[in-house]
Amino acid sequence: MQASPPTQFYTWQNYNCAYKVYQPDKLNTEAIPLLLIHPIGVGLSGKFWQRFVSEWFSQGNHNVIYAISIFYTENLVW
């Protein structure tokens, strides 16, 4: 797994949105990709999933993971 993949961006209905794509060390092309969407709350972002992603890959899973950060702002740190 990449230590910290780059944050990627897109715009949806004039909202800035961000996401990260976590690639496993050994990709299983038959594994269903995971889409992680964090709960809504003060201070929550895609960073919410960092421990999950780390544990998921350490358990030997080989899915690509897409982690979405809704309500992205420029000063948000992943």
Side-chain angles (χ1 to χ4, degrees):
M1 174 188 81
Q2 288 177 286
S4 181
T7 302
Q8 300 181 53
F9 303 94
Y10 66 98
T11 302
W12 177 77
Q13 295 187 0
N14 294 324
Y15 290 99
N16 292 327
C17 303
Y19 67 98
K20 289 191 177 195
V21 180
Y22 294 88
Q23 300 281 350
D25 292 332
K26 182 180 177 187
L27 179 61
N28 177 352
T29 57
E30 294 183 14
I32 297 171
L34 301 179
L35 174 62
L36 307 179
I37 303 172
H38 63 78
I40 295 176
V42 176
L44 291 177
S45 69
K47 191 173 184 174
F48 178 86
W49 294 110
Q50 287 180 342
R51 284 192 340 224
F52 172 84
V53 169
S54 180
E55 184 64 24
W56 182 260
F57 287 133
S58 74
Q59 295 291 322
N61 296 296
H62 301 289
N63 310 66
V64 173
I65 297 176
Y66 297 90
I68 306 297
S69 184
I70 52 180
F71 308 122
Y72 176 78
T73 61
E74 285 78 22
N75 52 1
L76 177 70
V77 177
W78 275 43

